[in-house]
């Protein structure tokens, strides 16, 4: 155990969340060491998105505690970036790609200040990373699904966060974009950032992630992929019919 | 001023008229405020909540009047008494609708319908009670709040409309970033520290204010037109939120002022319906002729694309 050194990037203790009366998440314990990329997998309705939302304080939990870098979330909000599901917003909003990426700077600017030259330069750099510079002035309603996902990533990059929480960043994007995004995420990890990624494709788990959390309302197992992502755990998560897929050749 | 023009130039004659200028300025300001703030309702798909709020405000207006009558013996129609009443009823209707949608399994459109009917029905009922009561005097003109009577605007009303409208617009400009972010992606905004409930409440107060200052001139039944129609028209022409809000404010101002001009010119027709007509004319032109998003532009680009595809296949 590395308890003596830096605190984990994310530590969840006994988190229980209910929408109406049925708990969606039940007594979740999770620890994500800093500098790792963790995949959260589980069947539909397992509470994967809910886990992100309640960790970020968007859904008040019934019980439990969340610590980010050893502190309560409120103190370190600026070190956390959230990438929601692409489909959670209305893309027919009057805004350009640049407008949306700039939104990532609002957290540091606060309630009253507006983005200026510095922020625009940062946004441009982020667009370069996701290869979307040419579309900077395009309307967001004209983007493809993959492009929408890229600018959501760029928006998270300009937050300069140390912990990134992403909800299905590969949903509905083509294979080429998916590979490009994975490269970016691994690059971030290699810089020392920590990533928590809700994911649904079991086949790519060993390739994409160093840590995995298997979730079905409760945490079935959580830890390094090699030790955690086993047939037994996957079966318990998905209810018997699913096994660890053979990696694609 | 009016003398050299005589009865041959009714528009110029009206513009020289002090009362009419008050009315025109008032409805223009109302249109600009609700046009600007209506953009946020439009983009959040919450346009109909505005309709519930404006219908509900009738109950607040009549309620405030009745309370003042019970206290003072004779009721007051002073706008400083009635507007707080309208604000209270509007906010109450808004909160109740939200509570029903989030705490029960009733769908949002049904909850909106129920709340609109309950508040407006009770408002009309209370209006009748007040009008029939022999003990309450001074109620004449209260019924104008239903369909609106811009001619009833006084200098004092204008001042209050201007102050409240300016406050709402100034708040919108001051908190622009937070409002924009919350409207596009409230979960992301919250994750950065722009508390969703807080921003929601600020937006709701701004929108209720823009509605309440308009109900005397436009009427509770048709106030929704100034909240939704200019925003829908402005969306057709614009590519940024800033552009949309500015254009929607202009459309709203033109609708408000133009509507009162028409209503003064033609047989003293009620202002509300005239404002709706002007706003709707702008809306129709916008959905037909706007570049990119207009029906004509889309029809043309579809034809062009089809020709390009067929041409390429045939060659």
């Amino acid at each position: 155990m590395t308890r003596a050194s830096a605190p984990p990037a994310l530590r969840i203790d006994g988190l229980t969340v209910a929408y109406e009366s049925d708990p969606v998440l039940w007594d979740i314990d999770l620890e994500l060491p800093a500098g790792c990329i963790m995949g959260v997998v589980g069947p539909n309705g397992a509470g994967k998105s809910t886990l992100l939302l309640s960790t970020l304080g968007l859904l008040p939990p019934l019980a439990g505690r969340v610590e980010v870098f050893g502190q309560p979330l409120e103190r370190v909000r600026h070190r956390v970036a959230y990438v929601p599901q692409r489909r959670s917003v209305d893309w027919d909003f009057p805004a350009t790609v640049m407008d949306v990426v700039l939104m990532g700077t609002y957290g540091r600017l606060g309630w009253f200040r507006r983005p200026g030259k510095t922020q625009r330069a940062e946004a441009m750099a982020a667009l370069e990373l996701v290869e979307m510079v040419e579309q900077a002035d395009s309307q967001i309603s004209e983007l493809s699904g993959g492009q929408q996902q890229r600018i959501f990533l760029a928006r998270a990059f300009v937050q300069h966060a140390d912990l990134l929480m992403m909800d299905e960043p590969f949903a509905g994007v083509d294979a080429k974009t998916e590979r490009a995004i994975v490269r970016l995420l691994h690059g971030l990890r290699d810089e020392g950032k920590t990533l928590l990624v809700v994911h649904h494709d079991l086949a790519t788990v060993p390739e994409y992630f160093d840590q995995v959390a298997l979730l079905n309302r409760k945490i079935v197992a959580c830890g390094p992929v090699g030790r955690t992502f086993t047939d037994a755990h996957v079966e318990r998560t998905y209810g018997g019919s699913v096994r660890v897929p053979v990696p694609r050749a | 001023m009016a003398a050299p023009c005589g009865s041959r130039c009714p528009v110029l004659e009206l513009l020289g008229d002090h009362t009419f200028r008050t009315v025109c300025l008032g409805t223009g300001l109302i249109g600009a405020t609700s046009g600007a703030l209506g953009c946020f309702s439009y983009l959040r798909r919450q346009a109909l909540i505005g309709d519930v709020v404006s219908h509900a405000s009738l109950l607040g207006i009549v309620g405030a009047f009745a309370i003042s009558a019970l206290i003072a013996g004779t009721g007051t129609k002073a706008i400083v008494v009635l507007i707080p009443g309208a604000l209270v009823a509007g906010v109450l209707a808004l909160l109740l609708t939200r509570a029903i949608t989030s705490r029960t399994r009733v769908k949002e459109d049904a909850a909106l319908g129920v709340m609109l009917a309950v508040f407006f029905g009770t408002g009309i009922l209370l209006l009748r009670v007040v009008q029939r009561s022999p003990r309450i005097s001074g109620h004449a003109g209260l019924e104008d709040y239903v369909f609106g009577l811009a001619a009833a605007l006084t200098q004092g009303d204008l001042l209050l409309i201007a102050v409240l409208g300016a406050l709402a617009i100034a708040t919108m400009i001051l908190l622009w970033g937070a409002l924009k972010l919350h409207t596009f992606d409230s979960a992301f905004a919250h994750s950065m520290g722009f508390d969703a409930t807080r921003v929601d409440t600020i937006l709701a107060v701004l929108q209720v204010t823009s509605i309440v200052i308009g109900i005397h001139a436009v009427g509770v039944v048709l106030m929704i037109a100034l909240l939704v129609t200019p925003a829908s028209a402005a969306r057709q022409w614009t590519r940024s939120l800033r552009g949309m809000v500015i254009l929607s404010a202009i459309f709203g101002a033109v609708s408000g002022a133009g509507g009162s001009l028409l209503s003064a010119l033609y047989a003293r027709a009620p202002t509300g319906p005239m404002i709706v007509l002007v706003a709707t004319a702008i809306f129709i032109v916008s959905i037909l002729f706007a570049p990119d998003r207009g029906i004509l532009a889309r029809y043309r680009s579809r034809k062009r694309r089809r020709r390009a595809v067929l041409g390429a296949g045939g060659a």
Side-chain angles (χ1 to χ4, degrees):
Chain A
M1 278 283 164
T2 52
R3 187 136 305 179
S5 61
L10 176 66
R11 185 201 182 102
I12 302 175
D13 277 321
L15 186 78
T16 297
V17 182
Y19 278 111
E20 277 175 15
S21 52
D22 302 334
V24 183
L25 292 174
W26 186 252
D27 199 18
I28 302 289
D29 294 324
L30 185 147
E31 195 170 306
L32 172 56
C36 290
I37 175 166
M38 174 185 267
V40 179
V41 293
N44 289 334
K48 302 187 291 286
S49 298
T50 307
L51 178 64
L52 289 199
L53 291 175
S54 54
T55 305
L56 288 161
L58 282 152
L59 264 179
L62 289 181
R65 230 178 48 184
V66 174
E67 270 184 10
V68 178
F69 299 110
Q71 299 195 44
L73 177 71
E74 282 310 322
R75 292 240 198 104
V76 283
R77 243 182 215 295
H78 60 281
R79 294 183 68 186
V80 182
Y82 170 49
V83 182
Q85 278 188 27
R86 183 167 62 76
R87 291 202 180 81
S88 67
V89 305
D90 178 7
W91 290 92
D92 190 31
F93 186 90
T96 61
V97 166
M98 177 53 97
D99 288 335
V100 172
V101 177
L102 279 174
M103 288 178 184
T105 66
Y106 287 15
R108 263 171 295 140
L109 293 171
W111 287 80
F112 305 112
R113 274 185 300 156
R114 306 199 171 190
K117 263 205 190 107
T118 323
Q119 284 75 25
R120 292 193 152 264
E122 284 174 7
M124 224 33 172
L127 281 174
E128 213 157 298
L129 276 178
V130 299
E131 293 166 26
M132 289 278 291
V133 172
E134 278 162 42
Q135 286 89 354
D137 294 319
S138 303
Q139 283 285 294
I140 58 169
S141 54
E142 293 159 6
L143 302 178
S144 70
Q147 291 174 322
Q148 292 172 352
Q149 193 62 60
R150 283 164 190 253
I151 69 166
F152 260 17
L153 283 179
R155 185 176 71 169
F157 293 165
V158 298
Q159 289 182 259
H160 303 311
D162 298 309
L163 170 63
L164 287 90
M165 309 223 297
M166 312 187 160
D167 202 344
E168 304 240 8
F170 308 117
V173 307
D174 57 51
K176 183 167 164 264
T177 306
E178 176 158 342
R179 277 196 301 276
I181 293 176
V182 169
R183 265 200 307 276
L184 282 170
L185 301 191
H186 285 166
L188 287 171
R189 177 204 48 199
D190 298 342
E191 286 170 25
K193 314 272 189 191
T194 312
L195 298 98
L196 184 72
V197 182
V198 169
H199 190 56
H200 67 276
D201 179 14
L202 289 176
T204 49
V205 166
E207 184 195 337
Y208 290 178
F209 306 113
D210 351 298
Q211 300 260 327
V212 68
L214 292 141
L215 180 75
N216 192 352
R217 307 215 165 202
K218 298 176 182 183
I219 290 284
V220 175
C222 175
V225 170
R227 186 146 49 76
T228 317
F229 196 60
T230 61
D231 271 336
H233 286 152
V234 170
E235 269 182 39
R236 266 173 57 208
T237 311
Y238 286 83
S241 56
V242 185
R243 286 164 183 269
V244 172
V246 181
R248 286 176 297 202
Chain B
M1 277 299 285
C5 221
S7 55
R8 282 164 301 153
C9 301
V11 175
L12 281 183
E13 192 180 331
L14 272 172
L15 286 178
D17 181 72
H18 179 72
T19 316
F20 177 75
R21 280 203 309 249
T22 304
V23 167
C24 233
L25 201 58
T27 47
L29 282 172
I30 291 163
T33 311
S34 52
L37 289 163
C39 292
F40 294 95
S41 315
Y42 172 91
L43 291 169
R44 304 196 63 213
R45 298 162 187 254
Q46 293 190 335
L48 283 178
I49 286 197
D51 204 23
V52 176
V53 168
S54 79
H55 276 79
S57 57
L58 181 70
L59 179 61
I61 294 283
V62 183
F65 174 84
I67 291 171
S68 78
L70 290 180
I71 294 172
T74 175
T76 174
K77 287 197 296 295
I79 199 160
V80 283
V81 173
L82 300 190
I83 280 198
L87 279 172
V88 168
V91 170
L92 193 67
L94 190 92
L95 293 179
L96 271 173
T97 310
R98 282 219 189 119
I100 290 178
T101 325
S102 63
R103 300 275 162 86
T104 72
R105 298 199 171 185
V106 177
K107 299 279 179 273
E108 190 174 17
D109 56 340
L112 289 170
V114 169
M115 295 320 289
L116 187 147
V118 163
F119 274 89
F120 188 55
T122 319
I124 291 284
L125 186 70
L126 190 62
L127 178 61
R128 258 319 118 77
V129 171
V130 165
Q131 285 172 330
R132 297 257 168 98
S133 164
R135 288 176 36 222
I136 299 178
S137 58
H139 56 69
L142 215 48
E143 67 281 355
D144 289 336
Y145 278 91
V146 179
F147 292 113
L149 187 68
L153 289 185
T154 65
Q155 289 284 313
D157 296 348
L158 185 64
L159 188 68
L160 195 71
I161 289 170
V163 168
L164 288 178
L167 272 177
I169 297 289
T171 311
M172 176 191 81
I173 294 171
L174 191 67
L175 300 176
W176 180 259
L179 298 184
K180 173 177 173 177
L181 192 57
H182 176 79
T183 304
F184 176 61
D185 191 346
S186 65
F188 178 73
H190 189 100
S191 81
M192 289 204 304
F194 299 99
D195 184 273
T197 317
R198 193 178 305 169
V199 185
D200 238 8
T201 311
I202 294 168
L203 261 181
V205 169
L206 294 182
Q207 285 161 348
V208 173
T209 307
S210 78
I211 291 169
V212 161
I213 60 176
I215 49 178
H216 197 190
V218 185
V220 300
V221 174
L222 293 174
M223 191 57 211
I224 183 69
L226 275 187
L227 207 65
V228 177
T229 319
S232 316
R235 177 67 188 101
Q236 300 296 311
W237 303 90
T238 47
R239 295 163 64 85
S240 71
L241 181 64
R242 185 220 291 255
M244 180 180 172
V245 167
I246 292 173
L247 191 63
S248 182
I250 293 171
F251 284 168
V254 169
S255 308
S260 10
L261 180 68
L262 284 180
S263 105
L265 280 178
Y266 298 109
R268 275 183 260 149
T271 343
M274 285 301 184
I275 289 175
V276 172
L277 283 184
V278 178
T280 309
I282 296 173
F283 173 71
I284 290 173
V285 170
S286 301
I287 56 170
L288 282 179
F289 301 113
D292 300 343
R293 298 176 73 93
I295 290 175
L296 264 170
R298 277 168 50 195
Y299 173 74
R300 272 205 215 108
S301 82
R302 204 164 38 230
K303 224 163 93 178
R304 201 166 343 131
R305 243 178 297 144
R306 189 163 48 200
R307 210 175 297 140
V309 169
L310 290 179

